[in-house]
Amino acid sequence: MPNNKLRRAPTIGIEIPHGYNEIPLGDLDALMQTAGPMITESVPGHIRNDVPNVLGALHFMLATLAANNTLYSGIGLHRTAESEIERIAVSWLTVSSFDYGEERNPRLVLSELIHTKAATKSRGKLAVVETPTVPVLYFEWTAKHIAPAIASYPAADDAPEVFQIEATVPSRDGTAIAVVELSTADPGAGPQYRGMVLDMAASVTFPQPPPDSESSSLAL
Protein backbone atom coordinates (compact mmCIF):
# COMPACT_ATOMS: atom_id res chain seq x y z
CA MET A 1 0.00 0.00 0.00
CA PRO A 2 1.66 3.30 -1.02
CA ASN A 3 2.65 5.07 2.21
CA ASN A 4 2.53 8.54 0.66
CA LYS A 5 -1.20 8.15 0.07
CA LEU A 6 -2.16 7.19 3.61
CA ARG A 7 -3.56 9.98 5.74
CA ARG A 8 -6.09 9.62 8.52
CA ALA A 9 -9.60 9.36 7.10
CA PRO A 10 -12.89 10.72 8.40
CA THR A 11 -15.20 8.67 10.58
CA ILE A 12 -16.70 5.57 9.01
CA GLY A 13 -19.67 3.40 9.94
CA ILE A 14 -19.54 -0.38 10.19
CA GLU A 15 -21.52 -3.28 11.65
CA ILE A 16 -19.47 -5.16 14.28
CA PRO A 17 -20.65 -8.80 14.62
CA HIS A 18 -21.80 -10.28 17.90
CA GLY A 19 -19.21 -12.10 19.95
CA TYR A 20 -16.50 -9.44 19.89
CA ASN A 21 -15.25 -7.55 22.93
CA GLU A 22 -13.62 -4.22 22.10
CA ILE A 23 -10.11 -3.46 23.32
CA PRO A 24 -9.92 0.34 23.59
CA LEU A 25 -6.88 1.95 21.99
CA GLY A 26 -7.04 5.24 23.89
CA ASP A 27 -5.21 5.36 27.25
CA LEU A 28 -3.19 2.14 26.99
CA ASP A 29 -1.25 2.78 30.20
CA ALA A 30 -4.48 2.96 32.18
CA LEU A 31 -5.75 -0.15 30.40
CA MET A 32 -2.65 -2.13 31.38
CA GLN A 33 -2.88 -0.93 34.98
CA THR A 34 -6.50 -2.07 35.14
CA ALA A 35 -5.99 -5.36 33.33
CA GLY A 36 -2.77 -6.37 35.09
CA PRO A 37 -4.19 -7.31 38.50
CA MET A 38 -7.20 -9.07 36.96
CA ILE A 39 -5.05 -11.16 34.62
CA THR A 40 -2.58 -11.99 37.39
CA GLU A 41 -5.39 -13.16 39.63
CA SER A 42 -7.02 -15.28 36.93
CA VAL A 43 -3.99 -17.29 35.76
CA PRO A 44 -2.36 -20.27 37.53
CA GLY A 45 0.30 -19.36 40.06
CA HIS A 46 3.19 -20.88 38.14
CA ILE A 47 2.80 -18.46 35.22
CA ARG A 48 2.07 -15.26 37.15
CA ASN A 49 5.66 -14.09 36.89
CA ASP A 50 5.22 -13.93 33.12
CA VAL A 51 2.22 -11.60 33.22
CA PRO A 52 4.31 -8.35 33.07
CA ASN A 53 6.10 -9.59 29.93
CA VAL A 54 2.80 -10.53 28.30
CA LEU A 55 1.28 -7.16 29.18
CA GLY A 56 4.35 -5.41 27.76
CA ALA A 57 3.97 -7.25 24.46
CA LEU A 58 0.24 -6.47 24.39
CA HIS A 59 0.90 -2.77 25.07
CA PHE A 60 3.40 -2.65 22.18
CA MET A 61 0.98 -4.37 19.80
CA LEU A 62 -1.97 -2.11 20.69
CA ALA A 63 0.18 1.02 20.45
CA THR A 64 1.33 -0.10 16.99
CA LEU A 65 -2.27 -0.61 15.91
CA ALA A 66 -3.26 2.85 17.15
CA ALA A 67 -0.32 4.42 15.32
CA ASN A 68 -1.45 2.77 12.06
CA ASN A 69 -4.97 4.22 11.90
CA THR A 70 -6.75 1.34 13.65
CA LEU A 71 -10.18 2.57 14.73
CA TYR A 72 -11.48 -0.64 16.28
CA SER A 73 -9.79 -3.65 17.84
CA GLY A 74 -11.59 -6.59 19.41
CA ILE A 75 -11.23 -10.21 20.49
CA GLY A 76 -14.00 -12.64 19.55
CA LEU A 77 -15.11 -15.98 20.92
CA HIS A 78 -17.34 -18.08 18.67
CA ARG A 79 -18.55 -21.66 18.63
CA THR A 80 -17.30 -23.50 15.60
CA ALA A 81 -18.31 -26.89 14.26
CA GLU A 82 -16.15 -29.16 12.13
CA SER A 83 -18.03 -32.38 11.37
CA GLU A 84 -19.60 -33.28 14.71
CA ILE A 85 -17.00 -31.54 16.87
CA GLU A 86 -17.94 -28.22 18.43
CA ARG A 87 -15.38 -25.97 20.10
CA ILE A 88 -14.56 -22.32 20.79
CA ALA A 89 -12.51 -20.38 18.24
CA VAL A 90 -10.70 -17.18 19.21
CA SER A 91 -10.13 -14.43 16.65
CA TRP A 92 -8.71 -10.91 16.55
CA LEU A 93 -10.57 -8.24 14.57
CA THR A 94 -9.39 -4.78 13.56
CA VAL A 95 -10.88 -2.01 11.44
CA SER A 96 -8.75 0.79 9.97
CA SER A 97 -9.51 3.79 7.79
CA PHE A 98 -7.37 5.95 5.51
CA ASP A 99 -7.59 8.88 3.12
CA TYR A 100 -6.38 7.72 -0.28
CA GLY A 101 -5.90 10.69 -2.53
CA GLU A 102 -7.85 12.28 -5.37
CA GLU A 103 -11.33 11.36 -6.58
CA ARG A 104 -11.47 8.46 -9.03
CA ASN A 105 -13.26 5.22 -9.81
CA PRO A 106 -13.01 2.87 -6.79
CA ARG A 107 -12.07 0.03 -9.15
CA LEU A 108 -8.88 1.92 -9.99
CA VAL A 109 -8.07 2.02 -6.27
CA LEU A 110 -8.47 -1.74 -6.00
CA SER A 111 -6.43 -2.25 -9.18
CA GLU A 112 -3.57 -0.28 -7.64
CA LEU A 113 -3.76 -2.28 -4.41
CA ILE A 114 -3.69 -5.54 -6.38
CA HIS A 115 -0.58 -4.41 -8.25
CA THR A 116 1.03 -3.49 -4.92
CA LYS A 117 0.39 -6.98 -3.55
CA ALA A 118 1.86 -8.49 -6.70
CA ALA A 119 4.93 -6.26 -6.43
CA THR A 120 5.51 -7.33 -2.82
CA LYS A 121 4.99 -11.00 -3.78
CA SER A 122 2.10 -11.43 -1.33
CA ARG A 123 0.80 -15.00 -1.51
CA GLY A 124 -2.80 -15.94 -0.81
CA LYS A 125 -6.31 -16.14 -2.23
CA LEU A 126 -7.33 -12.85 -3.80
CA ALA A 127 -10.70 -11.87 -5.26
CA VAL A 128 -12.70 -8.76 -6.08
CA VAL A 129 -16.16 -9.21 -4.57
CA GLU A 130 -19.09 -7.15 -5.82
CA THR A 131 -21.38 -5.56 -3.22
CA PRO A 132 -24.48 -3.39 -3.73
CA THR A 133 -22.35 -0.26 -3.28
CA VAL A 134 -18.68 -0.73 -4.26
CA PRO A 135 -16.37 -3.65 -5.10
CA VAL A 136 -14.35 -5.09 -2.19
CA LEU A 137 -10.83 -6.50 -2.40
CA TYR A 138 -10.73 -9.81 -0.48
CA PHE A 139 -7.39 -11.36 0.45
CA GLU A 140 -6.86 -14.52 2.53
CA TRP A 141 -3.67 -16.26 3.57
CA THR A 142 -2.07 -18.45 6.22
CA ALA A 143 1.31 -17.52 7.70
CA LYS A 144 3.59 -18.79 10.42
CA HIS A 145 4.52 -16.39 13.21
CA ILE A 146 7.14 -16.84 15.88
CA ALA A 147 5.46 -17.23 19.27
CA PRO A 148 6.71 -14.93 22.05
CA ALA A 149 9.05 -16.58 24.55
CA ILE A 150 7.24 -17.23 27.85
CA ALA A 151 9.35 -18.97 30.46
CA SER A 152 6.50 -20.90 32.07
CA TYR A 153 4.87 -21.93 28.77
CA PRO A 154 6.35 -24.85 26.81
CA ALA A 155 7.97 -23.78 23.55
CA ALA A 156 6.38 -25.18 20.40
CA ASP A 157 8.47 -27.28 18.03
CA ASP A 158 7.21 -25.25 15.08
CA ALA A 159 5.98 -21.68 14.62
CA PRO A 160 2.16 -21.59 14.92
CA GLU A 161 0.05 -20.97 11.84
CA VAL A 162 -2.24 -17.94 11.75
CA PHE A 163 -5.17 -17.70 9.33
CA GLN A 164 -5.76 -14.13 8.17
CA ILE A 165 -8.37 -12.28 6.12
CA GLU A 166 -8.14 -8.73 4.80
CA ALA A 167 -11.08 -6.97 3.15
CA THR A 168 -10.42 -3.52 1.66
CA VAL A 169 -13.37 -1.24 0.95
CA PRO A 170 -12.95 1.90 -1.19
CA SER A 171 -15.30 4.84 -0.86
CA ARG A 172 -17.59 5.55 -3.83
CA ASP A 173 -15.39 8.44 -4.93
CA GLY A 174 -12.13 6.56 -4.36
CA THR A 175 -10.74 9.12 -1.89
CA ALA A 176 -10.74 6.81 1.15
CA ILE A 177 -10.44 3.15 2.06
CA ALA A 178 -11.47 1.06 5.05
CA VAL A 179 -9.66 -2.18 5.89
CA VAL A 180 -11.21 -5.03 7.88
CA GLU A 181 -8.66 -7.57 9.14
CA LEU A 182 -9.24 -10.84 10.97
CA SER A 183 -6.65 -13.22 12.41
CA THR A 184 -7.06 -16.54 14.20
CA ALA A 185 -4.52 -19.07 15.41
CA ASP A 186 -7.11 -21.75 14.61
CA PRO A 187 -6.53 -22.31 10.87
CA GLY A 188 -9.21 -24.98 10.71
CA ALA A 189 -11.86 -22.50 11.81
CA GLY A 190 -10.55 -19.66 9.64
CA PRO A 191 -12.66 -20.30 6.52
CA GLN A 192 -15.82 -20.04 8.61
CA TYR A 193 -15.12 -16.31 9.06
CA ARG A 194 -15.18 -15.52 5.33
CA GLY A 195 -18.87 -14.60 5.14
CA MET A 196 -18.70 -12.55 8.34
CA VAL A 197 -15.79 -10.42 7.11
CA LEU A 198 -17.46 -9.81 3.74
CA ASP A 199 -20.71 -8.81 5.51
CA MET A 200 -18.71 -6.33 7.58
CA ALA A 201 -17.07 -4.94 4.45
CA ALA A 202 -20.45 -4.52 2.78
CA SER A 203 -21.73 -2.57 5.82
CA VAL A 204 -19.01 0.12 5.65
CA THR A 205 -20.21 3.68 5.01
CA PHE A 206 -18.16 6.84 4.27
CA PRO A 207 -18.85 8.80 6.40
CA GLN A 208 -21.10 7.42 9.13
CA PRO A 209 -24.75 8.49 8.58
CA PRO A 210 -26.71 10.21 11.41
CA PRO A 211 -27.12 7.89 14.43
CA ASP A 212 -30.22 5.71 14.56
CA SER A 213 -31.27 4.78 18.08
CA GLU A 214 -32.46 1.36 16.84
CA SER A 215 -29.35 0.56 14.83
CA SER A 216 -26.53 -1.74 16.00
CA SER A 217 -23.97 -0.03 13.75
CA LEU A 218 -20.80 1.38 15.24
CA ALA A 219 -19.33 4.76 14.36
CA LEU A 220 -15.53 4.71 14.22
Side-chain angles (χ1 to χ4, degrees):
M1 191 177 293
N3 291 328
N4 63 347
K5 289 197 172 185
L6 302 186
R7 301 180 298 275
R8 189 170 297 278
T11 300
I12 67 169
I14 190 170
E15 296 283 344
I16 301 296
H18 294 296
Y20 281 94
N21 296 299
E22 182 176 5
I23 300 176
L25 299 175
D27 190 341
L28 294 180
D29 290 335
L31 176 63
M32 296 300 110
Q33 291 175 3
T34 301
M38 292 189 294
I39 294 175
T40 301
E41 186 66 26
S42 65
V43 300
H46 70 283
I47 65 173
R48 288 182 178 176
N49 289 337
D50 288 318
V51 170
N53 292 334
V54 173
L55 289 177
L58 180 61
H59 185 286
F60 174 80
M61 181 180 67
L62 294 177
T64 301
L65 289 176
N68 285 277
N69 286 15
T70 299
L71 305 177
Y72 174 88
S73 176
I75 291 180
L77 299 174
H78 297 93
R79 283 190 173 88
T80 178
E82 296 175 12
S83 300
E84 298 179 355
I85 302 174
E86 184 179 275
R87 54 192 170 78
I88 298 297
V90 180
S91 62
W92 186 283
L93 179 69
T94 63
V95 180
S96 307
S97 179
F98 306 93
D99 277 342
Y100 203 75
E102 69 281 357
E103 290 189 17
R104 54 182 167 159
N105 190 310
R107 294 183 185 278
L108 295 178
V109 172
L110 296 192
S111 177
E112 184 175 88
L113 294 174
I114 291 171
H115 283 298
T116 299
K117 288 190 179 297
T120 57
K121 295 180 168 52
S122 299
R123 294 182 176 274
K125 296 179 180 178
L126 184 148
V128 174
V129 180
E130 299 295 336
T131 75
T133 52
V134 293
V136 171
L137 180 60
Y138 177 93
F139 189 62
E140 168 190 309
W141 73 104
T142 300
K144 290 188 176 183
H145 296 273
I146 299 175
I150 301 176
S152 57
Y153 195 82
D157 295 332
D158 194 12
E161 288 189 337
V162 178
F163 180 92
Q164 297 174 261
I165 295 175
E166 176 189 83
T168 303
V169 187
S171 60
R172 290 179 186 238
D173 61 3
T175 63
I177 59 173
V179 183
V180 180
E181 295 178 278
L182 178 137
S183 301
T184 177
D186 187 342
Q192 298 182 40
Y193 288 100
R194 290 167 176 158
M196 183 197 78
V197 172
L198 285 173
D199 286 344
M200 289 183 65
S203 76
V204 170
T205 55
F206 296 89
Q208 167 71 4
D212 182 344
S213 61
E214 298 183 358
S215 173
S216 61
S217 65
L218 179 67
L220 301 176

